[in-house]
């Protein structure tokens, strides 16, 4: 089965007809066929080009102008916007903040998600074959809950949880005898605001990646586990030596998409600290961009920020790839890869978010 | 497995002690592993559930009660908070807007995504690979880069602040994801079925709608769920492109309501509004959750 369904990688190396699993078909262009192609390829592509590609393309051009949006005239200013940006203290602060987000959020989220996924799939009774924990489906459903809640609502819920006076968090902490938290403003203290925001983002995303990893772990052939067991490996050893290497690809993909989500983070920060937090300690590039564009109407400058954000995203993705390659990932992967890996990779993006 | 175990027997006869000790050590580490697993999952579940229960509980309290005793159950269950949220925050109207926009976009993107994936997966024509990779790039780029030009693009078409404009934008940005997910499905469908349909006299149109599309149904269902969650939760696109308050979607309305609350606080109503927003989606999720869990692994077992 595996060999008959090529992945993109193998497909590119094979002669085309075989890659499609069929014979080459060349039939004359009938009216039916022309309308078919127009409708099936033309319409989706037109929408994609008009609403996604062209705006992306325009962004790169407008990033080099001083356009203010509502007047038709603009000047081409080259890289002025970019030099201005890197002298703008607020922007630099935002850049530092998103770098922090990209460094910590994916790492912690994936560690937790892996922990949850491993516990659910492999934490079962110690006798007999490796199996899932009791109540696995309950835990799975619960841990996915936050992902179902709109991100803006997640932010709002936690903004209330963090509330210095009426919030549950300080209530719990003072209840435990930690009286210094009586009126502690989690989102109002410079040192606490960013970690508090990170925690909420992680809270909202762990469930999705846990479900993703559960699926990946279930795709690991059972014989591998049997063999490890016969060789005397315990559950912990099995997890480190069998499970993690086997789902390495999924982890890499998840890391990249999480990084993209963390670099953006607009929804969460907008819900919790719309003003950028104490001394701009939680301001993100996306918030700054939105403000510069739609409140100050400096559209040229704002799109330039978008370009920088995209560049940072690409650098992040490249770094993840590089690290994975250097530490020995991806070798011979294309041969072993299950046919569904592409679908899973697409799924890691988590829908249209 | 039993065969392998039998093969191993002679070896264990030779060194029975160390093997048994090894097995005992493994079993005890397994027990520890199971215990840690349970502890971790219970802790995580508590962290997930408690805030939600707290929101639910607070939605029945008065502002005074919430401020004075965030822990306690409400003295008197104030269902009127829900009525207040419904009318003050216009939750009902925004809910309807969300349903209209999301359902239309969902239907469109599923149809167009499936069509596009089908053609790219099963037909050979020049530029096929280019289209595939361009869409892949579209999946990775941050929406923020496009948001300002997109604003003017919609303005040029007269689609700014209109439902069709928002729907089309949703479709465009959900299209790459939909296409990639379904691409592997259509690729894995057997070619013989398609041939048979052609021999039976079906054209390309009928072959797709009557034969191939129904066969891709499991994949379609999975993508539809992910798209639904993604579109329902969409925040940035409506905030930037849909500023007419009558057409606001739920996420927008909730954000505005929460920030308007700063000066005139009715916490009870705010919590009630949150509950009203979350519960329908949670219910939908609980009904379809098996499909979600299955869908991610779908490809693996096909």
């Amino acid at each position: 089965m595996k060999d008959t369904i090529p992945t993109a990688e193998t497909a590119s190396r094979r002669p085309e007809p075989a890659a499609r699993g069929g014979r080459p078909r060349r039939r004359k262009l009938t009216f039916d066929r022309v309308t078919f192609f127009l409708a099936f390829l033309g319409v989706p592509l037109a929408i994609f080009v008009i609403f996604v590609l062209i705006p992306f393309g325009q962004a790169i051009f407008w990033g080099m102008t001083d356009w203010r949006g509502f007047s038709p005239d603009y000047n081409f200013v080259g890289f002025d916007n970019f030099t201005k940006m890197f002298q703008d203290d607020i922007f630099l602060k935002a850049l530092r903040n998103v770098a922090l987000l990209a460094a910590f959020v994916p790492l912690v989220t994936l560690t937790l998600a892996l922990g949850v996924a491993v516990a659910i799939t492999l934490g079962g009774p110690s006798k007999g074959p490796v199996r899932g924990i009791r109540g696995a489906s309950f835990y799975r459903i619960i841990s996915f809950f936050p992902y179902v809640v709109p991100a803006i609502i997640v932010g709002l819920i936690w903004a209330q949880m963090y509330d210095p006076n009426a919030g549950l968090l300080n209530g719990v902490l003072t209840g435990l005898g930690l009286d210094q938290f009586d009126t502690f403003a989690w989102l109002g203290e410079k040192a606490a605001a960013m970690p508090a925001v990170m925690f909420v983002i992680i809270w909202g995303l762990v469930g999705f990646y846990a479900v993703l990893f559960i699926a990946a772990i279930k795709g690991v052939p059972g014989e591998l586990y049997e063999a490890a067991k016969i060789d005397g490996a315990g559950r912990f050893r099995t997890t480190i030596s069998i499970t993690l290497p086997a789902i390495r690809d999924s982890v890499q993909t998840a890391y990249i998409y999480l990084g993209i989500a963390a670099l953006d983070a607009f929804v969460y920060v907008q819900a919790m600290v719309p003003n950028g937090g104490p001394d701009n300690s939680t301001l993100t590039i996306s918030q700054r961009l939105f403000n510069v564009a739609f409140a100050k109407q400096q559209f040229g400058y704002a799109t330039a920020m978008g370009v920088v954000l995209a560049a940072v995203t690409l650098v992040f993705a490249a770094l993840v790839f590089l690290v994975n390659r250097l530490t020995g990932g991806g070798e011979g992967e294309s041969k072993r890869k299950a046919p569904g890996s592409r679908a899973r990779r697409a799924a890691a993006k988590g829908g249209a978010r | 497995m039993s065969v392998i175990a039998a093969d191993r027997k002679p070896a264990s006869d030779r060194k029975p002690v160390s093997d048994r000790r090894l097995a005992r050590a493994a079993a005890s580490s397994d027990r520890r592993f199971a215990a840690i697993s349970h502890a971790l999952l219970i802790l995580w579940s508590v962290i997930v559930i408690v805030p939600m229960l707290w929101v639910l509980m607070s939605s029945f309290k008065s502002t005074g009660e919430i401020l004075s005793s965030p822990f306690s159950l409400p003295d008197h269950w104030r269902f009127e908070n829900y009525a207040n949220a419904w009318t003050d925050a216009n939750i009902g109207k925004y809910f309807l807007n969300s349903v209209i926009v999301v359902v239309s976009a969902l239907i469109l993107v599923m149809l167009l995504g499936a069509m596009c994936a089908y053609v790219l997966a099963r037909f050979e024509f020049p530029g096929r690979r280019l289209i595939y990779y361009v869409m892949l790039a579209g999946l990775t780029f941050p929406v923020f880069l496009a948001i300002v030009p997109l604003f003017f693009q919609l303005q040029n078409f007269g689609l700014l602040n209109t439902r069709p404009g928002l729907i089309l934008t949703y479709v465009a940005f959900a299209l790459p994801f939909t296409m990639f997910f379904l691409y592997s499905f259509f690729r894995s469908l057997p070619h013989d079925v398609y041939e048979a349909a052609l021999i039976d006299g079906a054209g390309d149109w009928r072959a797709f709608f009557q034969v191939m599309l129904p066969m891709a149904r499991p994949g379609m269902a999975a993508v539809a769920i992910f798209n639904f969650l993604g579109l329902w939760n969409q925040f940035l696109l409506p905030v930037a492109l849909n500023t007419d308050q009558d057409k606001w979607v739920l996420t927008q309305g909730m954000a505005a309501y929460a920030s308007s609350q700063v000066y005139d606080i009715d916490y009870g109503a705010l919590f009630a509004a949150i509950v009203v927003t979350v519960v329908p989606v949670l219910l939908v999720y609980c009904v379809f959750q098996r499909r979600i869990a299955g869908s991610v692994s779908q490809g693996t077992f096909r």
Side-chain angles (χ1 to χ4, degrees), chain A residues 322-343:
Chain A
L322 192 69
V323 168
N324 191 32
R325 212 12 97 77
L326 288 180
T327 52
E331 285 160 12
E333 283 295 313
S334 55
K335 260 175 247 144
R336 282 193 284 114
K337 213 176 279 170
S341 65
R342 194 199 345 268

Side-chain angles (χ1 to χ4, degrees), chain A residues 93 96 184-195 277-282:
Chain A
K93 212 158 210 177
R96 192 203 61 138
F184 188 77
W186 289 90
L187 297 169
E189 296 284 339
K190 209 176 152 191
M194 193 53 153
D279 197 16
N280 286 325
S281 56
T282 62

Side-chain angles (χ1 to χ4, degrees), chain A residues 121-183:
Chain A
T121 47
L122 310 177
S126 59
K127 293 240 166 61
V130 174
R131 62 199 129 131
I133 203 163
R134 243 175 304 126
S137 64
F138 168 79
Y139 289 127
R140 206 194 55 225
I141 294 174
I142 293 296
S143 63
F144 199 74
F145 259 24
Y147 189 77
V148 179
V149 178
I152 185 84
I153 304 282
V154 169
L156 291 179
I157 290 177
W158 278 94
Q160 299 302 325
M161 289 285 290
Y162 284 140
D163 188 284
N165 301 310
L168 187 62
L169 188 57
N170 284 350
V172 170
L173 289 173
T174 46
L176 291 173
L178 300 164
D179 289 332
Q180 65 268 38
F181 289 108
D182 186 22
T183 55

Side-chain angles (χ1 to χ4, degrees), chain B residues 139-297:
Chain B
L139 191 64
T140 338
F141 268 36
V143 185
F144 258 99
L145 178 55
I147 198 74
V148 175
L150 194 60
F151 180 88
F152 289 101
Q153 187 82 329
L154 285 174
Q155 201 175 44
N156 289 341
F157 285 112
L159 288 171
L160 197 63
N161 298 331
T162 64
R163 284 211 189 96
L166 196 60
I167 292 170
L168 281 175
T169 318
Y170 275 17
V171 169
F173 278 89
L175 200 59
F177 164 74
T178 314
M179 196 281 280
F180 286 111
F181 207 111
L182 293 176
Y183 181 89
S184 43
F185 269 88
F186 282 118
R187 245 185 134 78
S188 66
L189 292 183
H191 195 259
D192 304 346
V193 180
Y194 173 79
E195 296 275 89
L198 289 195
I199 289 166
D200 283 350
D204 284 319
W205 287 81
R206 281 193 52 182
F208 175 73
F209 282 107
Q210 295 192 334
V211 180
M212 302 310 263
L213 195 57
M215 283 174 75
R217 209 179 298 148
M220 294 285 282
V223 185
I225 292 169
F226 280 121
N227 273 335
F228 173 79
L229 287 178
L231 297 178
W232 185 262
N233 297 348
Q234 187 58 255
F235 179 68
L236 172 66
L237 290 176
V239 162
L241 308 173
N242 183 37
T243 48
D244 178 354
Q245 200 172 341
D246 277 336
K247 292 175 191 136
W248 275 4
V249 296
L250 203 48
T251 47
Q252 253 179 311
M254 277 304 302
Y257 185 57
S259 56
S260 73
Q261 290 277 315
V262 174
Y263 301 106
D264 175 24
I265 302 172
D266 181 353
Y267 276 124
L270 177 63
F271 283 114
I274 292 177
V275 172
V276 172
T277 316
V278 170
V279 165
V281 198
L282 272 189
L283 287 181
V284 170
Y285 164 65
C286 287
V287 172
F288 289 107
Q289 52 87 15
R290 289 218 162 271
R291 272 218 179 278
I292 290 188
S295 73
V296 199
S297 56

Side-chain angles (χ1 to χ4, degrees), chain A residues 21-350:
Chain A
R23 283 126 273 182
R25 270 167 291 126
R26 286 209 186 273
R27 280 177 290 125
K28 54 183 181 288
L29 290 175
T30 58
F31 174 74
D32 203 37
R33 180 144 270 234
V34 171
T35 54
F36 171 80
F37 264 94
L38 275 182
F40 274 55
L41 200 59
V43 176
L45 268 189
I47 292 181
F48 181 72
V49 168
I50 291 172
F51 294 102
V52 179
L53 269 199
I54 292 182
F56 276 137
Q58 283 177 330
I60 292 167
F61 174 73
W62 282 357
M64 291 189 268
T65 68
D66 64 356
W67 193 43
R68 296 187 75 90
F70 290 104
S71 71
D73 32 278
Y74 59 84
N75 300 307
F76 189 81
V77 296
F79 291 98
D80 281 8
N81 282 332
F82 296 94
T83 47
K84 181 175 156 197
M85 201 182 304
F86 287 100
Q87 285 153 6
D88 174 354
D89 284 343
I90 301 181
F91 178 82
L92 289 178
K93 212 158 210 177
L95 190 62
R96 192 203 61 138
N97 291 340
V98 296
L100 276 178
L101 281 169
F104 285 107
V105 170
L107 189 68
V108 180
T109 310
L110 289 186
T111 311
L112 275 174
L114 273 171
V116 170
V118 166
I120 287 179
T121 47
L122 310 177
S126 59
K127 293 240 166 61
V130 174
R131 62 199 129 131
I133 203 163
R134 243 175 304 126
S137 64
F138 168 79
Y139 289 127
R140 206 194 55 225
I141 294 174
I142 293 296
S143 63
F144 199 74
F145 259 24
Y147 189 77
V148 179
V149 178
I152 185 84
I153 304 282
V154 169
L156 291 179
I157 290 177
W158 278 94
Q160 299 302 325
M161 289 285 290
Y162 284 140
D163 188 284
N165 301 310
L168 187 62
L169 188 57
N170 284 350
V172 170
L173 289 173
T174 46
L176 291 173
L178 300 164
D179 289 332
Q180 65 268 38
F181 289 108
D182 186 22
T183 55
F184 188 77
W186 289 90
L187 297 169
E189 296 284 339
K190 209 176 152 191
M194 193 53 153
V197 167
M198 283 182 184
F199 174 82
V200 175
I201 299 176
I202 293 164
W203 187 85
L205 293 176
V206 164
F208 177 78
Y209 290 93
V211 168
L212 194 75
F213 291 145
I214 290 171
I217 292 173
K218 284 191 173 159
V220 178
E223 302 89 65
L224 282 181
Y225 288 122
E226 301 295 352
K229 196 178 166 59
I230 289 161
D231 286 347
R235 298 273 143 112
F236 183 72
R237 187 64 207 270
T238 311
T239 304
I240 300 292
S241 310
I242 306 279
T243 309
L244 289 186
I247 64 168
R248 188 170 186 140
D249 250 20
S250 301
V251 176
Q252 177 193 294
T253 315
Y255 214 103
I256 289 175
Y257 284 122
L258 262 171
I260 295 175
L263 285 170
D264 176 339
F266 181 72
V267 188
Y268 295 99
V269 285
Q270 198 66 9
M272 280 183 286
V273 270
N275 53 7
D279 197 16
N280 286 325
S281 56
T282 62
L283 186 77
T284 62
I285 296 183
S286 47
Q287 261 181 318
R288 180 77 184 142
L289 186 160
F290 202 80
N291 196 20
V292 166
F294 293 104
K296 298 187 178 169
Q297 319 259 301
Q298 299 177 359
F299 288 101
Y301 188 33
T303 28
M305 288 181 185
V307 173
V308 170
L309 185 61
V312 172
T313 310
L314 286 182
V315 168
F316 177 84
L319 270 180
V320 173
F321 262 115
L322 192 69
V323 168
N324 191 32
R325 212 12 97 77
L326 288 180
T327 52
E331 285 160 12
E333 283 295 313
S334 55
K335 260 175 247 144
R336 282 193 284 114
K337 213 176 279 170
S341 65
R342 194 199 345 268
R344 257 205 317 275
R345 199 167 318 150
K349 172 93 173 164

